[in-house]
Amino acid sequence: MRVKDYLQQGYRLEHRIRLVQAEIEELRELSTSVSSPGFEEHHNASRNTDAPYEKLILKIASLEEKQAAMLEKLLSFKAELTEVIDSLEDKDERLVIHFRYIGNKTWVEIGDKLGWDARTVRRWHNKALAHLVLPENPTIIDKNLQENENGT
């Protein structure tokens, strides 16, 4: 696994968490909306007696469980990532990597915080990537990375 791929896993997971959160909010809105009444005559002996919002509530609960598991995985990964970043000797390299992969900051935002231009930030970033050593068994969140590493 490349160092950069390892570092970017947290960003990807945070993005997926935000997508699940948006889906939960959309389903909550649907579950509280009033559906239109049907005025047609229905003669169905096996009529569904469940409330129309029941399936939505079950789906919301399922997504909330999924989101909680993803958040737990993210927190665990960020703790591991912090240890990896703290192993860097140069404090400037540590700062750049920390802001980029823990704080998810852009090059310009990092430059503003540190008083550097974006090109300098990228240079320090590249130096840090060269010096960074991954743990023996790094956490792999993105299954695609694991499949690529195994040659499948």
Side-chain angles (χ1 to χ4, degrees):
M1 170 186 291
R2 291 183 359 197
V3 172
K4 195 170 183 178
D5 291 334
Y6 171 77
L7 295 171
Q8 289 176 337
Q9 292 183 106
Y11 172 77
R12 289 189 202 112
L13 184 56
E14 280 188 41
H15 185 69
R16 283 186 280 178
I17 290 169
R18 282 192 295 271
L19 289 174
V20 170
Q21 181 61 40
E23 189 174 353
I24 289 170
E25 289 172 10
E26 184 178 316
L27 289 173
R28 278 195 179 124
E29 191 174 310
L30 279 173
S31 70
T32 59
S33 65
V34 178
S35 59
S36 63
F39 294 112
E40 307 87 38
E41 197 171 318
H42 293 288
H43 297 290
N44 188 352
S46 61
R47 190 177 125 223
N48 185 5
T49 59
D50 294 337
Y53 55 84
E54 187 175 336
K55 287 182 184 176
L56 291 173
I57 291 174
L58 292 174
K59 178 72 174 172
I60 290 169
S62 171
L63 285 173
E64 285 175 338
E65 287 176 17
K66 178 181 177 181
Q67 183 184 32
M70 292 168 77
L71 280 169
E72 189 175 318
K73 190 183 286 190
L74 179 65
L75 291 174
S76 172
F77 176 73
K78 284 202 173 187
E80 177 183 307
L81 185 56
T82 300
E83 288 180 26
V84 170
I85 292 170
D86 289 344
S87 71
L88 286 169
E89 290 183 24
D90 189 284
K91 81 171 180 168
D92 292 331
E93 292 175 4
R94 272 196 313 265
L95 284 170
V96 169
I97 295 295
H98 188 275
F99 282 133
R100 183 69 176 171
Y101 297 104
I102 300 287
N104 294 323
K105 303 290 183 202
T106 65
W107 301 119
V108 174
E109 290 172 331
I110 297 169
D112 289 345
K113 284 189 178 282
L114 300 176
W116 302 336
D117 66 347
R119 196 169 54 194
T120 302
V121 171
R122 284 192 203 98
R123 190 176 70 240
W124 280 103
H125 175 262
N126 290 335
K127 283 183 180 182
L129 291 180
H131 296 138
L132 204 66
V133 178
L134 295 182
E136 274 188 42
N137 295 314
T139 300
I140 299 177
I141 295 172
D142 194 344
K143 289 181 174 78
N144 292 332
L145 291 175
Q146 192 171 25
E147 288 171 3
N148 290 340
E149 188 174 294
N150 294 334
T152 57

